Amino acid sequence: MSQGIENKVVVITGASSGLGEATARHLAERGASVVLGARRRDRIAKLAEELSAKGYKAKAVQTDVTDQHQVKTLVDTAVNAFGRIDVMLNNAGLMPLAPLERLKVDEWDRMIDVNIKGVLYGIAAALPHMKAQKSGHIINVSSVYGHVVDPGAAVYCATKFAVRALSEGLRKEVKPYNIRTTIISPGAVSTELLEHISEKDIQAGTKEFVSKIAISADTFARTVAFAVNEPDDVDINEILFRPTAQPV
């Protein structure tokens, strides 16, 4: 029975900033080999170079999670480079908040593509390798908004509720292969997520609220590390955390 983070191969989507970047740093410092996926090639390449310069193992693969082939290439690159994949962190996400009546249909489509289909593509890429290994850990990022629904956030909430439903179905299906599953639902964390809000009035109000209570992305990284670090016979299925000051 294995335990710990050291020598595990971890694939992270949305690794160019925020939760993904913080987690890549945190796990690499603890001995994991990290494979970074994101659309912004320059950002993940710089991060991989920085980690490698410190003696850590890191690779960067430009990846748009709405493209199934690119996600498969990301995971296959990890397996080819390091021989296996131990953890798949489906972290990439968008949150362009707006009331339904503003009919931001293009943004609805984009959220579904990134927040739901991106997670499914991550599962599809990692699962065959993990089944063959008879081990692995798939971590999907939901949100506090995967537990509650607020006005102006209906579609985002729907995508994050969907992540929880998919993850629970996955948990029940992969038991024969000794694969673990974890849902992590963060509250207000200081990231670039609010930059996705195109409605300036909503963006300004949300930023004002979040700036007063947001906690560091390192909090999320430590949460991932906790789930990964547990022995293989311990399956941490769901973690919900918020800033202490967050009422929602």
Side-chain angles (χ1 to χ4, degrees):
M1 181 172 58
S2 66
Q3 178 176 351
I5 296 167
E6 189 173 6
N7 296 322
K8 285 187 175 176
V9 179
V10 182
V11 177
I12 303 172
T13 65
S16 60
S17 65
L19 306 180
E21 179 183 357
T23 303
R25 293 181 186 279
H26 190 79
L27 297 183
E29 289 168 359
R30 282 149 186 81
S33 300
V34 294
V35 181
L36 316 175
R39 289 178 301 148
R40 294 179 288 187
R41 182 198 298 270
D42 58 333
R43 295 281 291 268
I44 54 171
K46 182 178 179 181
L47 177 58
E49 290 170 5
E50 177 189 330
L51 294 174
S52 297
K54 295 179 179 178
Y56 307 135
K57 295 179 180 178
K59 291 184 69 69
V61 182
Q62 186 176 27
T63 307
D64 182 341
V65 298
T66 67
D67 184 322
Q68 183 181 3
H69 176 73
Q70 291 188 34
V71 180
K72 185 177 186 299
T73 297
L74 170 67
V75 171
D76 289 350
T77 298
V79 174
N80 291 336
F82 299 112
R84 59 188 294 112
I85 173 174
D86 296 298
V87 181
M88 180 72 197
L89 175 56
N90 290 307
N91 165 70
L94 296 174
M95 191 182 73
L97 302 178
L100 291 169
E101 65 182 0
R102 297 196 188 181
L103 302 180
K104 307 292 286 188
V105 177
D106 288 345
E107 292 184 355
W108 301 348
D109 288 341
R110 184 68 177 164
M111 274 191 282
I112 290 168
D113 287 345
V114 174
N115 296 359
I116 301 177
K117 292 169 71 175
V119 170
L120 284 169
Y121 292 160
I123 293 169
L127 197 52
H129 296 291
M130 293 181 176
K131 285 176 63 178
Q133 297 168 179
K134 290 291 177 63
S135 69
H137 192 170
I138 296 176
I139 303 176
N140 297 329
V141 180
S142 180
S143 169
V144 165
Y145 272 154
H147 297 256
V148 298
V149 181
D150 268 356
V155 179
Y156 179 72
C157 293
T159 66
K160 292 305 186 177
F161 270 81
V163 169
R164 292 182 61 227
L166 290 169
S167 301
E168 176 60 6
L170 178 68
R171 181 189 71 81
K172 293 181 177 180
E173 292 182 13
V174 298
K175 290 303 175 185
Y177 311 109
N178 196 40
I179 297 171
R180 304 191 294 178
T181 65
T182 302
I183 309 162
I184 301 182
S185 298
V189 179
S190 182
T191 70
E192 296 179 4
L193 197 61
L194 303 186
E195 302 304 322
H196 303 145
I197 302 174
S198 62
E199 301 293 270
K200 296 306 178 185
D201 58 329
I202 296 172
Q203 186 186 57
T206 306
K207 280 186 172 182
E208 181 181 7
F209 168 73
V210 169
S211 68
K212 296 175 181 177
I213 65 167
I215 52 181
S216 166
D218 290 339
T219 306
F220 175 85
R222 293 193 301 272
T223 303
V224 173
F226 165 69
V228 172
N229 190 59
E230 287 298 292
D232 286 350
D233 64 347
V234 179
D235 198 5
I236 305 296
N237 298 131
E238 187 159 10
I239 301 172
L240 167 62
F241 72 93
R242 302 171 171 88
T244 303
Q246 182 173 349
V248 176

